[in-house]
Amino acid sequence: MTVKLISEYSVTESLKKQVIEWRRHFHRYPELSFQEHRTSQFVEDTLRSFGSFIITRPTPTSVVARLIGKEEGKVVAIRADMDALPIEEENTFAFASVHKGVMHACGHDGHTAILLGVASVLSQLGDEFKGEIRLIFQHAEELLPGGAQELVKEGAMEGVDYVIGTHLNSGLPIGEIGVLAGPMMASPDMFNISIKGKGGHAAAPHEAVDAIVVGAQIVTNLQTIVSRTTNPIDKLVVSVTQFHGGTTHNVLPDKVELNGTVRSFDAALREKVPAQIDRIVKGLTEAYGAEYTFTYEKGYHPVINSEEITRLIEETAIEEYGEERVKTLSPKMGGEDFSAYLQETEGAFFNIGARNEEQGIVYPHHHPKFTVDEDSLEIGVKMFLRITEKLLAR
Ligand code: NI
């Protein structure tokens, strides 16, 4: 039986243009997490136009496309996220968002277009290959509980041997590819602390229990979780990001609300933090005669890349683009729900440079002027095709 190789197919000039057009279409019509109705329909319709794929809709706004070879083999999944952010776009180019207050400010428009480009090339294989390639067009990466976890629950990862994904990166110059074995992105947990004191006149603090002073002590003391109780070699962030209380200058409020985030890579370390926060809040509120409630919500798992698959991605990038264009990334404390797939099977996440200083493409992710150098899209298509071929051959 003859089996075709993915590398027999190239990314043509016309496909390159098509992928850019797709990206511009998604950019123009961004949709928020869990509301990607139009986007997912466009993806489904485009995939159907290619033929070859078995298409399912595991959740209302996600699409999974399977290409199954006539010989059994490895199952490789490639994931793209499709959601936009609640940001008013400040770019003025022709394909800027027409949806007020919604914008593709993280590059997920590019991810979706790249994966459609991959699908377009792969569809030419038909079933003349060994194994299965599963394309996961995921909804809701930006909003907890995240789409990835839902797709896993719906069986999108059943039978998958390897999973890969990428993020366009406006911090990395165009032409460069970023890889990192091991911990890459942190688990973004959230907490809320509500402190109840006793309100009163600002001129008579002795008759009140000042929730603001208690809150301030708590914020200060939470800093010691990282600085005094965590091994300096470990990576941990505890940040209070909201402090709400009070109405005017001469009233001591009876209540203060604190919100914050905890970021870590290590499961054991992560497990310890809620009890540490609780101990500090409990001790301080008791000391001042206040009361409290404390809730802790776990976010995504950390992204921990497989060493072997990361090496394979790195090798592929070096073969395609040369050693000088492949960079080792530093771990980031941001979150990414690609981790839900990595809980199920071996895989890795990597970055594709999308920054271009000369063209003014320099804004960070989630900025109202964020955009990507569209030459990064072709790199994404090529990388996924080459990596997939290698993974199928394993
Ligand atoms: Ni993103």
Side-chain angles (χ1 to χ4, degrees):
M1 193 188 304
T2 55
V3 173
K4 286 186 193 166
L5 292 173
I6 296 172
S7 48
E8 287 171 22
Y9 304 93
S10 60
V11 181
T12 60
E13 271 311 302
S14 76
L15 178 63
K16 195 179 151 182
K17 277 198 198 112
Q18 177 68 78
V19 172
I20 290 173
E21 251 173 64
W22 283 326
R23 182 255 164 173
R24 292 184 178 188
H25 172 86
F26 296 129
H27 194 91
R28 187 184 252 265
Y29 304 105
E31 292 174 301
L32 292 173
S33 314
F34 297 101
Q35 299 171 32
E36 309 89 338
H37 297 284
R38 190 172 174 162
T39 306
S40 57
Q41 194 56 51
F42 184 93
V43 166
E44 180 183 344
D45 293 345
T46 308
L47 288 167
R48 289 210 187 277
S49 76
F50 300 151
S52 304
F53 291 97
I54 298 168
I55 297 165
T56 52
R57 302 289 299 256
T59 71
T61 58
S62 60
V63 186
V64 172
R66 300 169 68 185
L67 191 67
I68 301 174
K70 61 183 175 188
E71 278 188 61
E72 266 193 44
K74 298 286 185 200
V75 180
V76 177
I78 315 175
R79 174 272 213 161
D81 43 8
M82 305 191 286
D83 54 334
L85 287 155
I87 293 173
E88 179 71 26
E89 178 154 17
E90 287 177 16
N91 287 313
T92 51
F93 42 60
F95 55 94
S97 169
V98 297
H99 293 165
K100 198 160 174 41
V102 185
M103 176 192 175
H104 267 294
C106 198
H108 301 188
D109 49 346
H111 305 163
T112 312
I114 288 170
L115 200 53
L116 281 180
V118 170
S120 167
V121 175
L122 290 177
S123 65
Q124 301 169 58
L125 280 176
D127 66 349
E128 299 282 320
F129 71 104
K130 198 175 153 189
E132 180 191 326
I133 304 160
R134 203 173 295 176
L135 308 181
I136 300 175
F137 293 87
Q138 183 206 310
H139 60 303
E141 189 280 325
E142 300 282 6
L143 190 65
L144 282 171
Q149 179 192 294
E150 287 191 350
L151 285 172
V152 168
K153 216 179 276 168
E154 294 301 322
M157 289 295 287
E158 263 162 39
V160 172
D161 293 292
Y162 307 113
V163 62
I164 50 172
T166 194
H167 211 301
L168 297 172
N169 182 345
S170 72
L172 195 65
I174 183 70
E176 293 187 2
I177 289 163
V179 293
L180 182 65
M184 184 190 208
M185 312 277 290
S187 53
D189 297 345
M190 295 181 293
F191 64 85
N192 170 275
I193 300 163
S194 178
I195 303 149
K196 195 158 174 357
K198 194 175 148 212
H201 198 294
H206 58 293
E207 290 171 4
V209 175
D210 188 346
I212 288 190
V213 169
V214 181
Q217 301 282 343
I218 289 172
V219 173
T220 305
N221 278 274
L222 288 179
Q223 309 310 310
T224 63
I225 294 175
V226 175
S227 68
R228 300 291 88 182
T229 63
T230 302
N231 186 332
I233 305 304
D234 292 336
K235 296 177 186 77
L236 180 70
V237 171
V238 178
S239 291
V240 176
T241 54
Q242 288 178 300
F243 191 122
H244 296 294
T247 49
T248 185
H249 63 95
N250 59 359
V251 175
L252 296 173
D254 67 337
K255 210 180 136 190
V256 158
E257 290 266 342
L258 308 178
N259 288 304
T261 185
V262 174
R263 310 278 170 128
S264 59
F265 296 108
D266 180 83
L269 182 61
R270 185 187 189 190
E271 285 309 317
K272 281 199 266 178
V273 176
Q276 289 179 312
I277 295 177
D278 190 64
R279 201 171 62 209
I280 288 169
V281 177
K282 186 167 191 261
L284 284 167
T285 48
E286 215 169 272
Y288 291 94
E291 288 167 10
Y292 76 100
T293 56
F294 166 55
T295 54
Y296 191 95
E297 196 187 335
K298 278 195 169 174
Y300 305 148
H301 291 282
V303 173
I304 315 276
N305 288 325
S306 145
E307 301 271 343
E308 273 187 51
I309 307 302
T310 303
R311 291 295 152 248
L312 183 142
I313 293 171
E314 187 176 24
E315 275 167 33
T316 309
I318 290 171
E319 283 161 21
E320 286 294 320
Y321 301 105
E323 201 149 352
E324 64 290 348
R325 283 168 65 180
V326 184
K327 300 284 162 352
T328 303
L329 298 168
S330 302
K332 287 227 170 68
M333 298 312 271
E336 163 62 72
D337 79 345
F338 184 77
S339 54
Y341 306 114
L342 294 177
Q343 294 289 110
E344 302 299 308
T345 192
E346 197 181 359
F349 199 64
F350 64 102
N351 278 187
I352 294 170
R355 182 186 189 84
N356 190 325
E357 304 256 355
E358 279 163 32
Q359 292 177 27
I361 301 171
V362 294
Y363 292 95
H365 291 250
H366 298 204
H367 189 283
K369 285 186 176 170
F370 173 86
T371 189
V372 297
D373 184 329
E374 289 174 322
D375 284 345
S376 61
L377 304 177
E378 182 199 11
I379 297 173
V381 176
K382 256 197 200 159
M383 282 294 293
F384 274 144
L385 291 171
R386 298 291 172 264
I387 298 163
T388 301
E389 179 160 84
K390 286 189 183 183
L391 290 173
L392 286 173
R394 265 164 82 96

